[in-house]
Amino acid sequence: MASSRTALVTGGNRGIGFEVCRQLAAREYRVILTARDLSKAETAAHSLVSSGSVLGAQLDVTDAVSIRSLVAHLARQRIDVDVLVNNAAILLDEGTDIVDLEIADLRSTFETNVFGAVAVAQAFVPGMVARRYGRIVNVSSEAGQLASMGTYAPAYSMSKTALNAFTRQLAAATRGTGVLVNSACPGWVRTDMGGAGAPRSVQEGADTIVWLATLGVKGPTGGFFSTRKSIAW
Ligand code: NAP
């Protein structure tokens, strides 16, 4: 069914974010494909023109000025964001022991994976609440599950746990407003981050994210999903 909704994806220039843009465009969402480098956003958006309506825009999720500029740019064009996919993330500490973890790496991981997602959501949630419609997907990871947490990439894993806590907070704060907020785990996916040996394709990795981005009015909020099923926190 054709959609008149607009979706904004962070880190949309490559990997899972790019595929989410492609799938949403194919479902007739107008897609704002954002990347921290404007030329990469424009090149990626241009490569999707045959899939649908995709606009490239600059957004570094760690930069408050960049977020404000994008909000102003969209307002000038009278574009309302109905769907936000907080996909951008960094993984700096694979193979690092928690005892040796550089606090600077912990800090920069949280800046992107947690504070960035919170700041971008804060920019768009008030409009969603006012219009009584919103879908927010925080792209998380099984690495952030407390239930099974081990020693893998401590900064990255803790950042995804914190992102999941943000999902719970925002879902509770927006309950009953028409805004649905969920975390998605894409699984282990063949991207620059996941590596060539990962078992899942980007199409498979994007599936649950796109499902949550396009939920109907009775869809869940405040959940954590993988392969479209609820998983433990
Ligand atoms: P990726 O290939 O490394 O791509 C990461 C994307 O995030 C890139 O577009 C990158 O932009 C962007 N990014 C990083 N810092 C940013 C910032 N400050 N502002 C804006 N964009 C920024 O990663 P991926 O595998 O597609 O992962 C996408 C999401 O899935 C992430 O949240 C990741 O944690 C999650 N995930 C992935 C896997 C996996 O196996 N791949 C598993 C579980 C969860 P640049 O090109 O400018 O660097």
Side-chain angles (χ1 to χ4, degrees):
M1 193 180 69
S3 168
S4 55
R5 302 285 183 193
T6 298
L8 189 148
V9 180
T10 68
N13 54 301
R14 60 187 168 101
I16 295 166
F18 179 75
E19 175 61 17
V20 168
C21 291
R22 193 191 65 75
Q23 291 189 18
L24 287 172
R27 288 168 181 240
E28 300 188 17
Y29 281 71
R30 173 167 58 180
V31 176
I32 315 294
L33 183 161
T34 70
R36 52 184 160 177
D37 178 332
L38 176 61
S39 66
K40 287 184 182 171
E42 286 176 339
T43 303
H46 185 71
S47 75
L48 289 178
V49 283
S50 63
S51 301
S53 168
V54 185
L55 313 172
Q58 196 276 338
L59 179 62
D60 180 336
V61 303
T62 66
D63 179 355
V65 174
S66 169
I67 296 172
R68 272 202 301 277
S69 302
L70 178 60
V71 169
H73 174 69
L74 295 176
R76 275 194 302 275
Q77 299 193 54
R78 299 185 190 282
I79 294 176
D80 293 325
V81 172
D82 305 301
V83 176
L84 168 63
V85 179
N86 275 319
N87 165 79
I90 54 173
L91 166 59
L92 300 178
D93 63 332
E94 224 172 9
T96 303
D97 188 294
I98 183 71
V99 178
D100 302 323
L101 174 64
E102 295 284 350
I103 296 301
D105 285 348
L106 179 61
R107 216 183 288 280
S108 43
T109 299
F110 268 66
E111 283 291 346
T112 302
N113 299 8
V114 187
F115 308 151
V118 174
V120 176
Q122 285 178 334
F124 294 108
V125 166
M128 293 179 184
V129 170
R131 294 187 301 277
R132 311 290 294 177
Y133 183 93
R135 301 289 180 265
I136 295 174
V137 186
N138 291 324
V139 182
S140 185
S141 169
E142 283 172 10
Q145 285 182 289
L146 286 172
S148 54
M149 187 152 311
T151 58
Y152 175 74
Y156 177 80
S157 298
M158 291 190 285
S159 77
K160 294 299 189 181
T161 310
L163 182 67
N164 285 346
F166 172 54
T167 294
R168 295 290 296 174
Q169 283 279 338
L170 189 58
T174 56
R175 195 169 286 278
T177 66
V179 177
L180 304 176
V181 188
N182 293 286
S183 281
C185 173
W188 184 17
V189 178
R190 290 186 295 280
T191 62
D192 294 336
M193 185 186 287
R200 310 197 78 208
S201 65
V202 284
Q203 289 83 358
E204 291 169 314
D207 177 74
T208 297
I209 299 166
V210 170
W211 172 65
L212 290 170
T214 58
L215 286 173
V217 284
K218 296 207 169 115
T221 191
F224 187 17
F225 296 89
S226 182
T227 58
R228 301 193 183 198
K229 293 189 183 66
S230 178
I231 60 172
W233 294 105

